[in-house]
Amino acid sequence: MQTSFTLLDGTEPHSLPATFDGDRVRVDADAFHRHFGWHLEPEGLCREDKCIPVRNRGALVGQDGDGLDLSTLAGLLGRPLALDFDELAAALGTAHTSRAAEMASLEAPDFTLPDLHGRMHSLSDHRGKKVLLIAYASW
């Protein structure tokens, strides 16, 4: 039975029809193509003029071809995947090649957060200055 599944790509949520098989999520191939541009061809997983070879098609499409395995897709794209079955959602992380380039630049990504008085501050406002960032997480 297909159900609506949310796949986050950065900050963009995409609602895709999906089926579940144990700890596997299979997303509708046509919907994945519409949202992300990737489709399965004989030469591999393709978008525009780029194709990624698929060595194990059975892992990607399964025995009955009921959709594309989300974990296998993420692996082919070189992107980490975080799944939350209770929320019927997943998040695709940034590809390791993009993260490596960002790390090599030694430039932190920009963000905007409020201070204790509610005033908004962006990291880019302090470019060229020394900045101490303190982060806290309760987990």
Side-chain angles (χ1 to χ4, degrees):
M1 180 175 96
Q2 281 193 342
T3 187
S4 183
F5 188 82
T6 301
L7 182 57
L8 291 171
D9 183 20
T11 59
E12 281 294 313
H14 300 273
S15 182
L16 305 169
T19 57
F20 301 90
D21 179 21
D23 62 347
R24 305 303 254 176
V25 176
R26 294 195 176 280
V27 294
D28 181 77
D30 292 333
F32 192 79
H33 178 242
R34 279 193 309 277
H35 288 274
F36 296 94
W38 292 99
H39 58 282
L40 194 57
E41 295 287 339
E43 54 273 18
L45 188 63
C46 301
R47 181 171 69 182
E48 297 171 0
D49 61 347
K50 178 180 180 179
C51 286
I52 300 169
V54 178
R55 292 183 189 0
N56 185 352
R57 283 179 99 78
L60 181 60
V61 297
Q63 306 273 329
D64 50 7
D66 63 343
L68 303 174
D69 180 74
L70 194 53
S71 294
T72 304
L73 272 172
L76 287 168
L77 299 174
R79 299 179 68 178
L81 179 70
L83 287 167
D84 187 331
F85 290 100
D86 293 335
E87 295 297 324
L88 298 176
L92 275 173
T94 305
H96 62 86
T97 53
S98 298
R99 288 191 318 270
E102 290 169 4
M103 292 294 289
S105 76
L106 298 178
E107 187 170 303
D110 193 28
F111 57 87
T112 303
L113 294 171
D115 64 16
L116 295 175
H117 303 289
R119 293 179 302 228
M120 300 303 284
H121 298 274
S122 295
L123 184 60
S124 60
D125 295 340
H126 304 283
R127 293 275 185 231
K129 303 175 192 171
K130 292 183 180 180
V131 176
L132 172 65
L133 298 176
I134 299 173
Y136 171 78
S138 60
W139 65 86

